Amino acid sequence: QGESNVERDAITSEDGTPEPTNDNSDQEKEVKYDCMPKEPEDLDDEEFQVYVSLRAWRLLRKNELEVEPYKICQNRTLCELIRKRRNDAQFCSLKLDHNANKAEGNVASVDESTVEKSLLSVWGIGPSKAAKDGFGWEMLEILASEENETLLASSRNRTNAANI
């Protein structure tokens, strides 16, 4: 799937050095979707591709702000945000609310307070990251990309098919 298709063992730390992995590629690992992941190894293949795109965003922001990546957010935060969206396609959705009251001149918009409250349920996201101009909203924009939405839908569909 293009350049974003990264092997798990090819993942590197923010400074470009390889990160250790617990590679059990010979055995298929069972993913527990009802549990929140703490590490990237807890993600399925599609979720992991989304994780790679969020890490790329975090690296860009780290370089722009000249801070350590963990100060933007930790891996666990990325993993949990991905799993919550994977399990619920409407979780913190940035899709426009077309039911806005147009008679009062309101344009379609997302319910910001609902999104902020939902972001606060993610490990590692506090009020400043959940605020409209915070990192949480930037991460949601990455999740909302067509490629990432397709990956998460594929993950949901695969497990739905397995449960039939």
Side-chain angles (χ1 to χ4, degrees):
Q1 295 230 1
E3 294 178 17
S4 67
N5 215 359
V6 175
E7 297 293 324
R8 287 179 187 263
D9 59 352
I11 200 80
T12 56
S13 66
E14 302 295 341
D15 65 1
T17 58
E19 281 188 357
T21 60
N22 299 331
D23 186 22
N24 296 330
S25 56
D26 292 344
Q27 7 177 337
E28 186 71 24
K29 187 178 77 169
E30 181 180 337
V31 177
K32 297 179 181 174
Y33 294 104
D34 57 338
C35 297
M36 286 298 114
K38 294 182 180 176
E39 298 292 332
E41 292 80 19
D42 299 334
L43 302 173
D44 69 22
D45 291 341
E46 289 88 356
E47 289 174 315
F48 186 78
Q49 292 300 317
V50 176
Y51 172 78
V52 169
S53 68
L54 282 171
R55 276 180 50 108
W57 162 82
R58 184 176 66 182
L59 179 61
L60 288 172
R61 295 298 280 145
K62 165 209 171 301
N63 291 335
E64 289 172 5
L65 300 171
E66 298 178 353
V67 297
E68 294 302 315
Y70 70 86
K71 291 185 179 178
I72 294 171
C73 66
Q74 294 184 29
N75 289 345
R76 180 175 174 182
T77 304
L78 298 177
C79 293
E80 189 167 312
L81 184 62
I82 292 165
R83 179 62 52 83
K84 285 184 179 241
R85 176 64 72 83
R86 182 251 177 238
N87 287 348
D88 177 4
Q90 298 307 310
F91 177 79
C92 288
S93 177
L94 295 182
K95 292 196 167 59
L96 296 179
D97 176 9
H98 295 286
N99 296 324
N101 188 344
K102 293 182 179 149
E104 295 178 14
N106 294 340
V107 294
S109 65
V110 297
D111 182 353
E112 292 179 15
S113 64
T114 300
V115 172
E116 286 182 26
K117 287 176 188 172
S118 296
L119 278 171
L120 288 170
S121 73
V122 177
W123 185 92
I125 295 184
S128 65
K129 290 179 184 167
K132 177 70 172 115
D133 60 347
F135 290 138
W137 285 76
E138 291 182 37
M139 290 186 283
L140 293 178
E141 288 177 18
I142 303 299
L143 286 179
S145 76
E146 185 176 342
E147 181 180 3
N148 287 335
E149 289 285 354
T150 300
L151 286 164
L152 293 175
S154 174
S155 175
R156 281 189 293 276
N157 292 339
R158 185 166 33 94
T159 54
N160 289 340
N163 292 333
I164 294 177

